[in-house]
Amino acid sequence: MNYNFYFRNFLIWLGLVPVGILNGAARQYIYSHYISELTAHQISTFTGISLFRGFIWLTNRKWPFGSRITAIKTGISRISLTIILEFLFGHYALGNPGKVLFHDYKITEGRL
């Protein structure tokens, strides 16, 4: 088992956290006042994906995944860590109930 790979993967994921926070702050303080909340959320989803993709592309140039299966496993682990962080922070730090936390995952309502 390559613990160095897992540690590096975790550190790269930690680098994605401020990218996500800055993306959310941009939504909240720059353009959400001029458009609907749903549209702001959808724009933020697009910009977030773009920013994450750029960050991951840069880190992958330095530390390549090595194989497609490693890239898929890495992506799944990063998504899992992100969802866990969102729910734990949202519940314990912000005091949001489950209904509020699950709201952003309702694809049938246009949430991305």
Side-chain angles (χ1 to χ4, degrees), residues 84-101:
I84 291 167
L85 174 69
E86 285 182 357
F87 278 83
L88 289 176
F89 183 80
H91 179 72
Y92 291 106
L94 302 177
N96 290 329
K99 183 177 181 179
V100 171
L101 297 173

Side-chain angles (χ1 to χ4, degrees), residues 13 17 21 79-91:
W13 173 79
V17 173
I21 291 170
I79 289 169
S80 300
L81 286 168
T82 300
I83 292 171
I84 291 167
L85 174 69
E86 285 182 357
F87 278 83
L88 289 176
F89 183 80
H91 179 72

Side-chain angles (χ1 to χ4, degrees), residues 51-64:
L51 292 168
F52 292 148
R53 186 174 189 271
F55 185 88
I56 291 166
W57 179 80
L58 287 173
T59 58
N60 192 47
R61 288 176 54 99
K62 174 84 172 154
W63 300 290

Side-chain angles (χ1 to χ4, degrees), residues 14-49:
L14 282 177
L16 291 168
V17 173
V19 173
I21 291 170
L22 290 172
N23 184 53
R27 176 187 67 227
Q28 183 69 29
Y29 297 110
I30 296 174
Y31 57 88
S32 69
H33 304 292
Y34 305 104
I35 55 180
S36 72
E37 189 274 334
L38 179 59
T39 302
H41 176 78
Q42 291 170 339
I43 291 170
S44 178
T45 298
F46 175 75
T47 58
I49 289 170

